[in-house]
Amino acid sequence: MAKYKMLRDLVVDLPNTQLVEAPRASDTELLLAHDVSYVQRVISGTLSEAEQKEIGFPWSEKMVERSRRSVGATIAACHSAIEEGVAVNLAGGTHHAYRNKGSGFCVFNDAAIAARVLMKQAIGLQKIGILDLDVHQGDGTAAILQNDPAICTVSIHGEKNYPFAKTSSDLDIALADGSGDTIYLEALEQALAFLSKQGIEFLIYLAGADPFEGDRLGRLTLTKEGLALRDQQVMAFVRERGITIAIAMAGGYANPIDDTVGIHYQTIQIASAHQHTMSISKSRPSS
Ligand SMILES: [Zn+2]
């Protein structure tokens, strides 16, 4: 949990960046991806012991508030991205939350909800992509959106890592333990080619810091430089195709935690540089 405050303390001093308090997602928004009975159990504090155990932390009023705001922040990032070209949720990426249950420290599925909010708004979007580069598979997101042709899910993850029973995204690329920068960036190229074929107009990117070699739960061996190349590759992809991008931080469990914070911060710096490039090319006269 410490990483969130540390990241915020860094971002506060980043030039050309505006920090906005995370709004709370409404019940109506939560219900775009979750069963009413599950949402009710979370809100009223009637989750069973087993359900709380699967989520990974006990129920409290604060847990509900935090979960709502984590979703609200991804929705807000999507809306800001439409205005600004790119925006980031400093938390989020709760991709193990299913329609009817939470799991792996995830209560509500922010990316699935935010994508559904965008589709419902009738702002002319036909196709949204969710690119999940957290090292753990986006199982909840894949399950919730399995039959949703408007939202395309892609996950690159560790084959042997949690969740041990995988669900099917529209594209899954499972990597062997110990995979490093080169294998990863090749897989990413494949993933981006797939998203390009789908004709997505908006991308929600889960920029997990946990493929890092120093991550306690990662099992892959990406370097910080490799992770920077990953983010740059994603930014170049959206820039070349005029795709709007909203980013959530997702997982990161390095020891020391400063490494995780550094990787998340690096993602935000690359996103900020991307936005700067876009605004320069927009303001440049066309002649
Ligand atoms: Zn993860």
Side-chain angles (χ1 to χ4, degrees):
M1 295 301 272
K3 74 173 185 176
Y4 297 110
K5 185 186 182 305
M6 291 165 75
L7 181 61
R8 192 189 184 284
D9 290 346
L10 285 176
V11 172
V12 104
D13 293 324
L14 193 66
N16 307 315
T17 309
Q18 190 191 2
L19 268 178
V20 180
E21 190 180 80
R24 313 167 75 230
S26 67
D27 292 353
T28 313
E29 288 167 336
L30 298 178
L31 292 172
L32 292 173
H34 295 284
D35 280 342
V36 64
S37 59
Y38 174 61
V39 172
Q40 278 169 343
R41 288 202 297 287
V42 173
I43 293 172
S44 62
T46 51
L47 291 166
S48 70
E49 283 290 323
E51 284 180 304
Q52 292 179 58
K53 207 173 164 193
E54 186 162 0
I55 288 169
F57 40 71
W59 185 91
S60 66
E61 294 276 357
K62 273 190 176 165
M63 173 256 220
V64 179
E65 183 71 12
R66 186 177 183 286
S67 304
R68 270 194 198 272
R69 286 183 188 258
S70 190
V71 173
T74 297
I75 298 171
C78 287
H79 289 151
S80 288
I82 290 168
E83 301 292 319
E84 311 277 341
V86 59
V88 178
N89 175 0
L90 297 183
T94 44
H95 57 169
H96 301 308
Y98 282 72
R99 215 182 152 75
N100 57 359
K101 64 167 191 170
S103 178
F105 309 119
C106 305
V107 178
F108 301 128
N109 196 307
D110 62 324
I113 294 168
R116 287 255 167 94
V117 167
L118 288 179
M119 287 314 299
K120 262 199 85 114
Q121 277 173 334
I123 43 176
L125 285 174
Q126 304 292 323
K127 193 108 190 185
I128 297 175
I130 297 178
L131 176 62
D132 190 335
L133 300 187
D134 185 282
V135 82
H136 304 100
Q137 196 215 15
D139 57 339
T141 318
I144 291 169
L145 299 171
Q146 209 144 38
N147 299 311
D148 192 330
I151 306 166
C152 171
T153 56
V154 173
S155 176
I156 301 178
H157 49 264
E159 186 179 12
K160 297 256 169 67
N161 212 327
Y162 178 92
F164 304 109
K166 312 278 194 282
T167 53
S168 290
S169 314
D170 291 302
L171 176 69
D172 286 296
I173 303 179
L175 302 176
D177 284 355
S179 297
D181 294 346
T182 309
I183 291 172
Y184 195 94
L185 294 173
E186 279 169 15
L188 178 56
E189 213 164 289
Q190 219 182 308
L192 295 174
F194 178 81
L195 283 169
S196 178
K197 267 193 214 143
Q198 302 295 314
I200 60 159
E201 304 149 292
F202 193 104
L203 184 66
I204 299 176
Y205 169 34
L206 275 61
D210 48 11
F212 175 55
E213 57 188 347
D215 197 277
R216 289 178 296 120
L217 307 179
R219 304 172 72 142
L220 300 188
T221 58
L222 272 76
T223 62
K224 274 186 195 166
E225 295 71 31
L227 285 159
L229 289 171
R230 172 194 77 166
D231 295 339
Q232 282 158 359
Q233 208 167 313
V234 174
M235 295 304 159
F237 168 78
V238 295
R239 188 161 55 237
E240 282 157 17
R241 287 163 185 78
I243 296 166
T244 307
I245 183 167
I247 306 171
M249 293 292 97
Y253 316 91
N255 187 13
I257 196 68
D258 307 65
D259 283 335
T260 291
V261 174
I263 293 162
H264 285 322
Y265 186 54
Q266 172 174 279
T267 300
I268 293 164
Q269 286 174 304
I270 291 167
S272 175
H274 158 76
Q275 187 185 34
H276 189 63
T277 317
M278 285 194 313
S279 47
I280 288 171
S281 61
K282 259 189 199 167
S283 60
R284 193 184 294 146
S286 55
S287 52

